[in-house]
Amino acid sequence: VGHFPVGTETLDPANGDVLAMVGSADFYDTRIGGQVNVARSQRQPGSTIKPLTYLAAMERGWTAGTLLMDLEQSFPDGLNPPYRPTNYDDRFWGPISLRAALANSRNVPAVSTLYQVGLPSLLEMCHRLGIRSLTRQDYGLSLTLGGGEVTLLEMTAAYGALATGGQRVDPQYVLRIEDQAGEVLWERQPPERPQVLDARHAYIMTDILGDDAA
């Protein structure tokens, strides 16, 4: 990633344990701002937020087979001029299923979906999955393409809810605290696991994301 720090993270979705976190390529390299923990810094998530848009749509009755239109379209975007999103290949594929639209990361269907379900629905989904960074009041339809800023830790935990059948488990950093004699001063209790997604939607979304054929 050139002159920017690298952030990577591994989280156990079953209990929220952060198993590994690398917030920078080199903590002591001032040329890349090495002492910034990028795993906890707000950055644009790109297309990794698209599944959350489609989850919001599934809660309104959409399915993996819902037909979307990957066509040149213009969308009203608040006080801004009409929004005309493009795809990464500058092509339009025409009628396409939700499964194929997500699996191929098509931009126009994702924007169209957000336009139909509404920005508040996506923001509510993000907050329900533990994403707290999206606090501005001026997001537009580009939010579904990564137009907001979140942390890698938040996104990792949000995806964890897919692996647990829709249960959110907040990230855990410390197992216990001991004194110099080995006495346990504090020990983590089993985490809460609120059901934040319909287990059926979590299953379908996981299946789509793992569908190489799509």
Side-chain angles (χ1 to χ4, degrees), residues 3-147:
H3 299 291
F4 295 93
V6 176
T8 59
E9 179 195 353
T10 302
L11 183 144
D12 185 341
N15 54 25
D17 287 357
V18 176
L19 304 179
M21 180 188 293
V22 180
S24 172
D26 187 346
F27 182 83
Y28 298 102
D29 191 341
T30 58
R31 296 174 304 167
I32 63 168
Q35 295 186 21
V36 174
N37 185 348
V38 181
R40 301 192 59 163
S41 301
Q42 293 186 15
R43 307 180 76 183
Q44 291 191 343
S47 292
T48 61
I49 202 169
K50 286 177 182 173
L52 309 191
T53 301
Y54 289 118
L55 282 170
M58 287 179 182
E59 292 189 341
R60 284 152 181 78
W62 297 32
T63 72
T66 294
L67 190 64
L68 308 178
M69 292 298 172
D70 186 10
L71 302 171
E72 186 173 5
Q73 302 178 59
S74 296
F75 302 92
D77 202 14
L79 299 177
N80 301 315
Y83 181 40
R84 297 183 176 89
T86 60
N87 294 306
Y88 63 89
D89 59 358
D90 291 323
R91 297 171 55 202
F92 301 99
W93 291 7
I96 189 171
S97 70
L98 186 154
R99 173 182 290 272
L102 176 55
N104 291 278
S105 196
R106 306 303 291 172
N107 290 340
V108 177
V111 172
S112 177
T113 299
L114 180 56
Y115 177 65
Q116 294 180 66
V117 303
L119 273 164
S121 297
L122 174 55
L123 289 170
E124 192 276 333
M125 175 63 68
C126 290
H127 295 161
R128 200 193 316 162
L129 292 174
I131 298 173
R132 309 299 181 202
S133 299
L134 297 174
T135 58
R136 287 171 26 204
Q137 303 299 314
D138 60 346
Y139 297 114
L141 295 175
S142 64
L143 182 62
T144 190
L145 307 182

Side-chain angles (χ1 to χ4, degrees), residues 172 174-178 183-189:
Q172 305 288 330
V174 181
L175 295 178
R176 64 182 177 274
I177 300 174
E178 301 175 354
E183 294 292 327
V184 176
L185 304 177
W186 176 87
E187 190 165 13
R188 188 198 69 186
Q189 299 302 309

